[in-house]
Amino acid sequence: MEVIDSVPHSWFLLREFEDLYFDVNCSQGAYGFSFLLRLTAEERAAYDLRGKDALDELAAAVQDSAPMARGNTSPYRFRDLTHLHGDEVSEAIRQSRTS
């Protein structure tokens, strides 16, 4: 997994083989967390067409939906892959900062 794009303090875009993963820096009050999702075909097409603007909008949509809030109806809630790929993402981000 490698970082291919980012906006400081907001998000990282990572690639693993053909998949693109989007790691969003979220916060709910005093609680901060990363939220990782695999881009859908539609989200990839938007990124290919509009670049960082599309990902800035997606990051805002994820954050504003409060995906980790108890009892919410966020459309992103069940897309979180942090538990599966969190360590790989952290290592890729660390490596990108030292290169």
Side-chain angles (χ1 to χ4, degrees):
M1 193 169 286
E2 68 174 320
V3 174
I4 59 171
D5 207 348
S6 67
V7 169
H9 312 291
S10 185
W11 55 260
F12 291 91
L13 181 64
L14 302 101
R15 175 178 299 148
E16 183 177 53
F17 305 108
E18 297 300 316
D19 291 323
L20 293 181
Y21 292 90
F22 191 54
D23 184 59
V24 182
N25 182 17
C26 295
S27 64
Q28 291 175 302
Y31 177 64
F33 58 94
S34 287
F35 190 89
L36 180 69
L37 54 91
R38 182 180 299 115
L39 292 187
T40 64
E42 294 82 14
E43 291 161 348
R44 285 183 77 141
Y47 175 65
D48 291 341
L49 183 65
R50 298 180 35 243
K52 286 186 176 187
D53 288 342
L55 295 182
D56 287 340
E57 289 174 11
L58 179 57
V62 171
Q63 165 64 33
D64 292 348
S65 75
M68 302 307 281
R70 198 171 295 185
N72 78 30
T73 57
S74 170
Y76 304 101
R77 182 176 186 91
F78 297 106
R79 291 179 61 191
D80 184 28
L81 299 173
T82 305
H83 61 287
L84 294 175
H85 299 291
D87 291 340
E88 295 168 70
V89 168
S90 294
E91 179 61 21
I93 291 169
R94 187 190 65 72
Q95 287 182 10
S96 75
R97 289 181 174 164
T98 60
S99 323

